[in-house]
Amino acid sequence: MYHLLSLMGTELIISGMKPEMTQNSINMKKFSNISIAFYSSVKEVLNIIGK
């Protein structure tokens, strides 16, 4: 999904994950060479992107 969205010029943002799950996802080797933004809530994402 990341690569498909990247080809379309968009950024993948994942929200609603617990901090432990996020850390485990970041530490996995299959995610080590891509940039995905993780946030704890949709409200936090909207504040970050300015909506």
Side-chain angles (χ1 to χ4, degrees), residues 1-15 34-39 44-46 48-51:
M1 180 184 267
Y2 169 80
H3 295 295
L4 178 61
L5 292 171
S6 180
L7 287 172
M8 294 177 9
T10 60
E11 178 184 358
L12 179 60
I13 298 174
I14 299 176
S15 67
I34 60 177
S35 176
I36 300 175
F38 291 93
Y39 296 97
E44 184 180 3
V45 173
L46 293 174
I48 297 291
I49 63 173
K51 299 270 177 171

Side-chain angles (χ1 to χ4, degrees), residues 13-28:
I13 298 174
I14 299 176
S15 67
M17 291 181 68
K18 293 182 179 181
E20 302 84 27
M21 185 180 254
T22 301
Q23 189 62 43
N24 289 339
S25 297
I26 291 170
N27 290 336
M28 292 177 70

